[in-house]
Amino acid sequence: MTATNDRTDLLNALPLRDDLRGKTPYGAPQLDVAVTLNTNENTHPVPDDVQAAIVQEVSRAAAGLNRYPDREFTVLREELAQYLGHGLTAENIWAANGSNEILQQLMQAFGGPGRSVLSFVPTYSMYPILSAGTNTAFIPGQRARDFTLPPESAAEQVREHQPSIVILCSPNNPTGTALDDEVVDAVYQASEASNSIVVVDEAYAEFSRNPAATAIRLLDGRPRLVVSRTMSKAFALAGARIGYFAAAPQIADAVRLVRLPYHLSAVSQATALAALRHRTALLADVESIKMQRDRIVDDLKRMGLGPSESDSNFVFFGGAFDARALWEYLLERGVLIRDVGIDGHLRVTAGTEEETTAFLEGVESYLESAAAPPA
Ligand SMILES: *Cc1c(COP(=O)(O)O)cnc(C)c1O
């Protein structure tokens, strides 16, 4: 018997919840390769002056670490509201350790046994996992064949399933495209009967071709709408774990009932504040990432592949290639991208100019070698 089997037996001997038995922990491979383009991180390092500002703010917080942090992270909520604009105030804002925790708290408050979450697949793979962890049924709603989500279809599925929570991912991971207002509005109207919470996960909003077209504009008069954001992507702070949402104040009151007291550490609050105050430098890198993203779309089209239009920092593409073989070929060249488990498709994060070049050259040389007659 191998050590792993031993551990499985030991795990199974514990009084683990029945619905967790046989599961494996989620996580993309953290491989040590030269060019890591598989988890949609911001590939630009935090600029030196922003690093220095974070260190200074964290060092100030260090002096008070003997005390619990501000449980309401009031200053951070004020500054996040100011960043988002649209007349939002601190009352409308909530934050947590990444938007994953934001979504988990929303499911703890509004999901649970006998309740359900509806989302439209393919979409972010954490939604079913967070649903499972909170004992909420996950309903995989359908998209059109080209992965778009027509408003009438989305609304119809909401009326059919009457979920407690609907999650719309916009721009969608893994397909990259943002949803029109009509989809959010149609889903919101259709969820009136079931009194569902409608979450728009805007993790990639800052990379959108039209960043002004955020669902935050739709919050006024829609008390069940929640717009979730993160500092993991555009703000280049995946390692800091800071996510937040904007919604009616009573939505924040609901998650206050399930959050752990002091869940957002003083170090996290200080880091987030320093990054927000230096957002000009961070958002400048967003512009160069968008250029690399557009370059990937253009070059893959030129190579005869079919990339989706992208509003994010990654590109989803299909074509007449063997996805597994291309993925492995790139990995051999030190370029790690993502096989999202959709036949004939792969996803790549836009990197720095050099990283993006390494990816594009790899794809081109793979296509040439695959097209070459056998020697
Ligand atoms: C990356 C990503 C997140 C971010 O999660 P964090 O916990 O904030 O790091 C959220 N939603 C989607 C769709 C993502 O791709």
Side-chain angles (χ1 to χ4, degrees), residues 23 26 98-108 111-112 115-141 143 149 165-175 177 179 198-204 226-230 233 314 338 347:
K23 293 209 156 149
Y26 170 79
S99 51
N100 276 281
E101 189 178 50
I102 287 287
L103 295 168
Q104 185 181 52
Q105 290 177 337
L106 289 166
M107 289 191 199
Q108 287 176 316
R115 295 181 169 220
S116 61
V117 169
L118 171 68
S119 195
F120 300 90
V121 297
T123 191
Y124 188 37
S125 46
M126 278 307 296
Y127 302 151
I129 294 167
L130 293 165
S131 303
T134 56
N135 235 305
T136 314
F138 180 79
I139 303 167
R143 291 172 180 266
L149 184 57
I165 303 168
V166 186
I167 308 180
L168 297 169
C169 190
S170 176
N172 187 48
N173 181 4
T175 52
T177 321
L179 294 172
V198 177
V199 182
V200 184
D201 181 350
E202 291 194 347
Y204 300 96
V226 183
V227 182
S228 160
R229 293 280 187 103
T230 181
K233 309 287 161 59
F314 57 88
R338 191 67 165 266
R347 190 193 74 191

Side-chain angles (χ1 to χ4, degrees), residues 208-373:
S208 195
R209 285 167 296 172
N210 179 12
T214 161
I216 289 172
R217 291 171 304 139
L218 308 179
L219 283 172
D220 200 27
R222 290 184 180 82
R224 294 177 286 106
L225 185 62
V226 183
V227 182
S228 160
R229 293 280 187 103
T230 181
M231 298 187 87
S232 293
K233 309 287 161 59
F235 281 86
L237 281 188
R241 312 305 304 125
I242 297 142
Y244 55 101
F245 73 58
Q250 59 271 30
I251 300 270
D253 289 340
V255 301
R256 282 186 175 94
L257 302 174
V258 296
R259 58 104 179 95
L260 297 172
Y262 318 111
H263 68 287
L264 206 59
S265 81
V267 172
S268 301
Q269 294 181 38
T271 305
L273 278 171
L276 262 180
R277 289 168 186 166
H278 286 77
R279 57 180 170 266
T280 314
L282 290 169
L283 297 179
D285 283 338
V286 166
E287 288 313 307
S288 59
I289 292 166
K290 286 165 78 170
M291 281 170 59
Q292 296 308 316
R293 180 260 328 264
D294 292 340
R295 176 181 165 217
I296 295 174
V297 172
D298 292 346
D299 275 26
L300 291 181
K301 276 187 192 160
R302 183 179 52 71
M303 294 179 208
L305 303 182
S308 299
E309 292 304 326
S310 177
D311 291 296
S312 54
N313 66 339
F314 57 88
V315 177
F316 179 73
F317 62 100
F321 57 81
D322 176 341
R324 196 68 209 171
L326 173 53
W327 185 87
E328 278 169 8
Y329 182 89
L330 291 170
L331 186 57
E332 275 164 26
R333 295 174 61 118
V335 180
L336 178 61
I337 67 167
R338 191 67 165 266
D339 179 352
V340 289
I342 300 169
D343 238 21
H345 289 80
L346 291 168
R347 190 193 74 191
V348 61
T349 309
T352 59
E353 185 173 359
E354 298 73 42
E355 291 169 327
T356 303
T357 301
F359 163 73
L360 289 169
E361 286 179 357
V363 175
E364 190 137 46
S365 103
Y366 172 80
L367 293 175
E368 278 162 13
S369 70

